[in-house]
Amino acid sequence: YEQAAQGSHLGVFPSYYEPWGYTPLEVAANGVLSITTDLSGFGIFIKEHYPNQKEKPGIMVLERENKSHGEVVEKLFELLWYVVSMNRNERIPKKAQAKDLASLADWKILIKNYIQAHNMALERFHK
């Protein structure tokens, strides 16, 4: 899987709903550009950590929330055209950036949130 992902130039995951969205994270963690949406937990997470999406980071967030089908299709086309129009010198730094952004979701960082949620659930259960 990792070798197949690393051999790609782009992962496209325009999900309508995704509680988190591990696939765009996995692809980006392997140094591949990725497109996710603002209807996935991972897309929301990236937007929070990289709010200026106009710069088109290595992980691009397609806005789907409150958008018409036509608007989503047009924006996805623009993102795809942006990627296929890149030359090698433009693409390589974006691949590194994708990997760096994916590292923000490392379990070493996020585990504290899961432990906190678990402890809160236990406290509510025992009340």
Side-chain angles (χ1 to χ4, degrees), residues 4-69:
Q6 291 167 352
S8 303
H9 289 297
L10 176 67
V12 182
F13 309 96
S15 301
Y16 185 74
Y17 170 74
E18 194 74 54
W20 175 249
Y22 283 103
T23 314
L25 169 60
E26 290 169 350
V27 169
N30 279 290
V32 177
L33 297 175
S34 183
I35 297 174
T36 186
T37 75
D38 63 354
L39 296 177
S40 73
F42 181 62
I44 294 167
F45 176 82
I46 290 299
K47 280 184 76 170
E48 289 172 359
H49 286 84
Y50 202 101
N52 189 1
Q53 287 285 309
K54 291 181 182 178
E55 294 178 12
K56 295 185 178 70
I59 302 172
M60 294 160 276
V61 181
L62 174 66
E63 293 183 2
R64 291 199 70 168
E65 187 172 18
N66 300 319
K67 302 289 184 194
S68 70
H69 177 75

XYZ file of all heavy atoms in Angstrom, residues 4-69:
518
model
N 2.501 1.798 -3.368
C 1.532 2.255 -4.368
C 1.206 3.726 -4.132
O 1.152 4.512 -5.082
C 0.258 1.413 -4.309
N 1.005 4.102 -2.878
C 0.715 5.503 -2.562
C 1.893 6.397 -2.951
O 1.707 7.440 -3.585
C 0.398 5.657 -1.079
N 3.092 5.998 -2.593
C 4.273 6.813 -2.876
C 4.535 6.963 -4.365
O 5.162 7.925 -4.792
C 5.501 6.224 -2.174
C 5.430 6.371 -0.678
C 6.458 5.540 0.060
O 7.150 4.719 -0.523
N 6.538 5.737 1.356
N 4.036 6.037 -5.168
C 4.187 6.125 -6.621
C 3.169 7.038 -7.270
O 3.203 7.265 -8.476
N 2.284 7.601 -6.470
C 1.225 8.472 -6.993
C 1.636 9.935 -6.886
O 2.487 10.303 -6.103
C -0.063 8.268 -6.186
O -0.458 6.924 -6.228
N 0.971 10.767 -7.670
C 1.181 12.207 -7.575
C 0.104 12.878 -6.732
O 0.308 13.980 -6.228
C 1.190 12.852 -8.961
C 2.400 12.529 -9.762
N 3.659 12.900 -9.373
C 2.550 11.856 -10.925
C 4.541 12.480 -10.272
N 3.878 11.829 -11.218
N -1.047 12.204 -6.585
C -2.167 12.847 -5.919
C -3.168 11.814 -5.424
O -3.461 10.846 -6.116
C -2.875 13.801 -6.913
C -4.131 14.501 -6.452
C -3.818 15.501 -5.339
C -4.797 15.214 -7.630
N -3.691 12.051 -4.229
C -4.803 11.276 -3.707
C -6.022 12.175 -3.671
O -5.949 13.283 -3.142
N -7.133 11.731 -4.247
C -8.340 12.555 -4.329
C -9.457 11.860 -3.550
O -9.864 10.754 -3.907
C -8.767 12.775 -5.798
C -9.987 13.672 -5.877
C -7.614 13.354 -6.599
N -9.943 12.537 -2.509
C -10.948 11.964 -1.623
C -12.040 12.999 -1.359
O -12.109 13.592 -0.285
C -10.290 11.513 -0.310
C -9.088 10.651 -0.542
C -7.806 11.205 -0.533
C -9.221 9.311 -0.837
C -6.686 10.424 -0.771
C -8.105 8.518 -1.091
C -6.838 9.078 -1.058
N -12.927 13.235 -2.351
C -13.940 14.292 -2.218
C -15.188 13.828 -1.456
O -16.308 14.022 -1.896
C -14.253 14.646 -3.668
C -14.066 13.350 -4.394
C -12.918 12.645 -3.683
N -14.976 13.214 -0.314
C -16.068 12.631 0.464
C -17.165 13.630 0.782
O -16.905 14.794 1.079
C -15.530 12.073 1.788
O -14.556 11.091 1.543
N -18.376 13.121 0.764
C -19.525 13.923 1.174
C -19.637 13.930 2.695
O -20.083 14.874 3.301
C -20.803 13.370 0.546
C -22.000 14.231 0.836
C -22.174 15.450 0.181
C -22.946 13.850 1.775
C -23.254 16.265 0.456
C -24.033 14.651 2.057
C -24.177 15.864 1.396
O -25.244 16.677 1.666
N -19.222 12.831 3.314
C -19.198 12.739 4.772
C -18.118 11.756 5.167
O -18.015 10.675 4.608
C -20.543 12.269 5.328
C -20.467 11.948 6.802
C -20.390 12.961 7.742
C -20.415 10.635 7.245
C -20.286 12.681 9.097
C -20.315 10.339 8.592
C -20.251 11.360 9.511
O -20.141 11.083 10.844
N -17.322 12.124 6.130
C -16.245 11.277 6.618
C -15.973 11.698 8.059
O -15.530 12.818 8.301
C -15.011 11.516 5.742
C -13.902 10.530 5.845
C -14.200 9.209 5.182
O -14.550 9.178 4.000
O -14.054 8.202 5.882
N -16.252 10.843 9.060
C -16.033 11.263 10.447
C -14.604 11.763 10.694
O -14.407 12.755 11.356
C -16.330 10.015 11.263
C -17.160 9.153 10.387
C -16.774 9.487 8.977
N -13.629 11.074 10.148
C -12.244 11.553 10.243
C -11.627 11.610 8.856
O -11.322 12.663 8.362
C -11.411 10.685 11.196
C -9.961 11.105 11.201
C -8.914 10.396 10.699
C -9.395 12.338 11.692
N -7.739 11.100 10.847
C -8.010 12.304 11.455
C -9.932 13.469 12.292
C -7.156 13.338 11.804
C -9.076 14.507 12.640
C -7.713 14.428 12.397
N -11.408 10.475 8.238
C -10.833 10.444 6.900
C -9.376 10.027 6.937
O -8.472 10.840 6.722
N -9.135 8.769 7.239
C -7.756 8.281 7.341
C -7.044 8.193 5.998
O -5.833 8.363 5.933
C -7.726 6.902 8.023
C -7.899 6.997 9.510
C -9.113 6.690 10.111
C -6.850 7.420 10.312
C -9.270 6.798 11.475
C -7.005 7.527 11.680
C -8.214 7.214 12.258
O -8.370 7.331 13.612
N -7.758 7.933 4.925
C -7.086 7.721 3.639
C -6.331 8.956 3.161
O -5.160 8.850 2.785
C -8.078 7.217 2.583
O -8.871 6.183 3.164
C -7.348 6.670 1.386
N -6.924 10.167 3.173
C -6.127 11.327 2.774
C -4.942 11.571 3.716
O -3.879 12.013 3.278
C -7.107 12.494 2.804
C -8.370 11.988 3.356
C -8.315 10.502 3.426
N -5.115 11.246 4.980
C -4.012 11.364 5.938
C -2.896 10.378 5.603
O -1.719 10.748 5.564
C -4.521 11.121 7.360
C -3.465 10.943 8.451
C -2.569 12.173 8.568
C -4.133 10.630 9.784
N -3.245 9.127 5.328
C -2.243 8.110 5.003
C -1.472 8.470 3.741
O -0.250 8.310 3.678
C -2.913 6.745 4.823
C -3.447 6.157 6.103
C -4.325 4.949 5.872
O -4.689 4.666 4.710
O -4.669 4.289 6.864
N -2.182 8.938 2.722
C -1.532 9.310 1.469
C -0.552 10.462 1.713
O 0.598 10.416 1.281
C -2.585 9.664 0.397
C -1.959 10.299 -0.818
C -3.352 8.421 -0.008
N -1.011 11.495 2.426
C -0.155 12.645 2.715
C 1.048 12.233 3.565
O 2.165 12.716 3.347
C -0.953 13.741 3.405
N 0.828 11.329 4.511
C 1.927 10.852 5.356
C 2.996 10.130 4.533
O 4.151 10.057 4.945
C 1.394 9.930 6.451
N 2.606 9.642 3.375
C 3.553 8.994 2.463
C 4.135 9.980 1.455
O 4.746 9.581 0.472
C 2.882 7.826 1.746
C 2.845 6.597 2.617
O 3.875 5.993 2.875
N 1.671 6.243 3.104
N 3.937 11.272 1.684
C 4.539 12.292 0.834
C 3.835 12.492 -0.495
O 4.469 12.805 -1.493
N 2.514 12.331 -0.491
C 1.731 12.489 -1.712
C 0.735 13.626 -1.493
O 0.110 13.712 -0.428
C 0.985 11.182 -2.067
C 0.102 11.363 -3.289
C 1.984 10.054 -2.274
N 0.586 14.485 -2.486
C -0.424 15.538 -2.408
C -1.789 14.899 -2.199
O -2.049 13.795 -2.689
C -0.442 16.357 -3.698
C 0.821 17.128 -4.033
C 0.694 17.781 -5.401
C 1.124 18.156 -2.990
N -2.656 15.606 -1.501
C -3.944 15.036 -1.159
C -5.035 16.098 -1.230
O -4.808 17.257 -0.896
C -3.864 14.465 0.264
O -5.051 13.830 0.635
N -6.215 15.666 -1.677
C -7.404 16.509 -1.647
C -8.426 15.816 -0.762
O -8.744 14.644 -0.971
C -7.993 16.732 -3.059
C -7.006 17.475 -3.952
C -9.314 17.503 -2.964
C -7.455 17.614 -5.405
N -8.909 16.540 0.233
C -9.962 16.058 1.117
C -11.057 17.122 1.117
O -11.013 18.027 0.298
C -9.411 15.769 2.531
O -10.429 15.168 3.336
C -8.857 17.005 3.194
N -12.048 17.020 1.983
C -13.119 18.011 1.987
C -13.337 18.587 3.390
O -12.871 18.023 4.386
C -14.464 17.423 1.512
O -15.017 16.606 2.541
C -14.317 16.638 0.227
N -14.084 19.679 3.424
C -14.437 20.280 4.707
C -15.629 19.568 5.352
O -16.154 20.023 6.351
C -14.707 21.781 4.562
C -15.882 22.114 3.662
O -16.454 21.204 3.026
O -16.224 23.312 3.585
N -16.033 18.434 4.785
C -17.066 17.593 5.389
C -16.447 16.358 6.036
O -17.155 15.422 6.392
C -18.108 17.178 4.339
C -18.913 18.335 3.737
C -19.865 17.815 2.670
C -19.655 19.109 4.804
N -15.137 16.351 6.167
C -14.438 15.272 6.858
C -13.710 15.867 8.058
O -13.286 17.027 8.035
C -13.437 14.578 5.928
O -12.312 15.406 5.699
N -13.586 15.067 9.084
C -12.868 15.533 10.271
C -11.441 15.931 9.955
O -10.939 16.943 10.452
N -10.783 15.152 9.112
C -9.398 15.466 8.743
C -9.325 16.779 7.967
O -8.422 17.588 8.199
C -8.796 14.316 7.932
C -7.362 14.559 7.548
C -6.381 14.715 8.509
C -6.999 14.633 6.214
C -5.062 14.943 8.148
C -5.686 14.854 5.849
C -4.710 15.007 6.822
N -10.257 17.017 7.069
C -10.282 18.270 6.317
C -10.465 19.473 7.230
O -9.794 20.499 7.075
N -11.357 19.337 8.198
C -11.570 20.410 9.175
C -10.299 20.624 9.986
O -9.885 21.759 10.238
C -12.772 20.077 10.078
C -14.061 20.081 9.245
C -12.872 21.047 11.251
C -15.253 19.462 9.948
N -9.666 19.542 10.397
C -8.415 19.603 11.152
C -7.340 20.354 10.366
O -6.656 21.226 10.899
C -7.961 18.162 11.463
C -6.646 18.044 12.155
C -6.545 18.198 13.528
C -5.496 17.730 11.437
C -5.328 18.064 14.171
C -4.276 17.603 12.066
C -4.190 17.766 13.446
N -7.207 20.047 9.074
C -6.206 20.721 8.243
C -6.536 22.194 8.093
O -5.656 23.053 8.178
C -6.067 20.028 6.865
C -5.403 18.654 7.030
C -5.295 20.887 5.878
C -3.990 18.693 7.612
N -7.807 22.513 7.879
C -8.192 23.926 7.752
C -7.871 24.708 9.026
O -7.500 25.875 8.960
C -9.669 24.067 7.413
C -9.957 23.840 5.944
C -11.398 24.068 5.608
C -11.685 25.545 5.568
N -13.008 25.863 5.019
N -8.013 24.065 10.184
C -7.680 24.730 11.445
C -6.177 24.983 11.555
O -5.756 25.988 12.105
C -8.153 23.891 12.636
C -9.653 23.866 12.795
C -10.124 22.895 13.850
O -9.287 22.188 14.477
O -11.343 22.814 14.062
N -5.382 24.053 11.041
C -3.923 24.176 11.139
C -3.295 24.919 9.964
O -2.156 25.348 10.041
C -3.289 22.787 11.293
C -3.499 22.216 12.652
N -4.649 21.548 12.984
C -2.731 22.249 13.761
C -4.567 21.173 14.244
N -3.430 21.590 14.744
N -4.024 25.021 8.865
C -3.534 25.723 7.677
C -4.712 26.462 7.069
O -5.262 26.052 6.047
C -2.931 24.738 6.672
C -1.966 25.393 5.706
C -0.602 25.287 5.902
C -2.426 26.133 4.622
C 0.286 25.892 5.022
C -1.544 26.741 3.753
C -0.189 26.612 3.959
O 0.697 27.212 3.097
N -5.134 27.549 7.725
C -6.364 28.231 7.282
C -6.266 28.908 5.919
O -7.280 29.095 5.257
C -6.624 29.259 8.388
C -5.316 29.449 9.069
C -4.556 28.165 8.903
N -5.082 29.281 5.469
C -4.946 29.972 4.185
C -4.866 28.959 3.047
O -3.805 28.709 2.494
C -3.735 30.896 4.182
C -3.709 31.779 2.950
O -4.601 31.726 2.108
N -2.676 32.586 2.837
N -5.999 28.403 2.690
C -6.043 27.391 1.636
C -5.834 27.987 0.244
O -5.648 27.262 -0.707
C -7.370 26.635 1.692
C -7.466 25.673 2.852
C -6.650 24.430 2.646
O -6.734 23.767 1.623
N -5.832 24.098 3.622
N -5.840 29.309 0.128
C -5.596 29.932 -1.168
C -4.175 29.656 -1.653
O -3.906 29.683 -2.845
C -5.861 31.437 -1.104
C -7.327 31.750 -0.938
C -7.601 33.221 -0.895
C -9.098 33.413 -0.674
N -9.461 34.803 -0.561
N -3.265 29.377 -0.720
C -1.885 29.040 -1.082
C -1.761 27.598 -1.573
O -0.693 27.178 -1.992
C -0.960 29.253 0.123
C -0.838 30.696 0.527
C 0.043 30.873 1.755
O 0.737 29.925 2.161
O 0.030 31.976 2.306
N -2.842 26.841 -1.477
C -2.885 25.442 -1.902
C -1.730 24.628 -1.304
O -0.753 24.317 -1.967
C -2.914 25.332 -3.419
C -4.182 25.902 -4.019
C -4.232 25.653 -5.510
C -5.488 26.174 -6.113
N -5.616 27.621 -6.160
N -1.866 24.278 -0.030
C -0.821 23.479 0.615
C -0.789 22.057 0.073
O -1.599 21.700 -0.786
C -1.234 23.511 2.087
C -2.718 23.669 2.052
C -2.984 24.537 0.843
N 0.097 21.242 0.586
C 0.228 19.858 0.146
C -1.016 19.023 0.402
O -1.233 18.011 -0.247
N -1.838 19.440 1.367
C -3.145 18.827 1.605
C -4.173 19.916 1.353
O -4.250 20.889 2.098
C -3.279 18.280 3.034
C -2.198 17.242 3.327
C -4.679 17.667 3.231
C -2.152 16.795 4.776
N -4.924 19.765 0.279
C -5.903 20.774 -0.105
C -7.286 20.355 0.371
O -7.641 19.180 0.285
C -5.889 20.954 -1.620
C -4.575 21.535 -2.131
S -4.306 21.244 -3.891
C -3.596 19.586 -3.848
N -8.039 21.317 0.877
C -9.378 21.046 1.398
C -10.408 21.631 0.445
O -10.511 22.844 0.286
C -9.550 21.628 2.818
C -10.951 21.317 3.343
C -8.486 21.073 3.764
N -11.148 20.747 -0.189
C -12.223 21.128 -1.092
C -13.434 21.536 -0.258
O -13.901 20.757 0.578
C -12.580 19.939 -1.992
C -13.774 20.075 -2.917
C -13.508 21.141 -3.982
C -14.079 18.729 -3.565
N -13.921 22.742 -0.463
C -15.088 23.204 0.287
C -16.354 22.615 -0.327
O -16.660 22.865 -1.484
C -15.132 24.728 0.286
C -13.990 25.344 1.058
C -14.063 26.855 1.127
O -15.030 27.445 0.609
O -13.128 27.435 1.691
N -17.060 21.830 0.483
C -18.315 21.217 0.052
C -19.486 21.695 0.879
O -20.620 21.664 0.413
C -18.235 19.687 0.169
C -17.279 19.078 -0.833
C -17.545 17.630 -1.009
N -18.829 17.468 -1.705
C -19.253 16.332 -2.216
N -18.516 15.256 -2.124
N -20.408 16.251 -2.820
N -19.196 22.131 2.105
C -20.274 22.548 3.000
C -21.022 23.738 2.419
O -20.416 24.750 2.059
C -19.718 22.887 4.383
C -20.801 23.151 5.391
C -20.270 23.289 6.798
O -19.065 23.514 6.987
O -21.093 23.173 7.717
N -22.333 23.596 2.312
C -23.229 24.643 1.795
C -22.887 25.075 0.370
O -23.128 26.223 0.000
C -23.241 25.855 2.734
C -23.719 25.504 4.117
O -24.673 24.739 4.280
N -23.050 26.028 5.116
N -22.312 24.177 -0.415
C -21.991 24.469 -1.809
C -22.864 23.603 -2.710
O -23.197 22.460 -2.380
C -20.517 24.166 -2.123
C -19.517 24.918 -1.267
C -19.479 26.369 -1.611
C -18.406 27.069 -0.794
N -18.487 28.490 -0.813
N -23.213 24.141 -3.870
C -24.000 23.369 -4.835
C -23.092 22.331 -5.503
O -21.865 22.445 -5.467
C -24.582 24.292 -5.900
O -23.551 24.787 -6.750
N -23.735 21.355 -6.114
C -22.981 20.321 -6.835
C -22.082 20.964 -7.894
O -20.910 20.607 -8.020
C -23.947 19.315 -7.474
C -23.263 18.260 -8.287
N -22.588 17.210 -7.712
C -23.140 18.125 -9.635
C -22.072 16.462 -8.674
N -22.403 16.985 -9.845
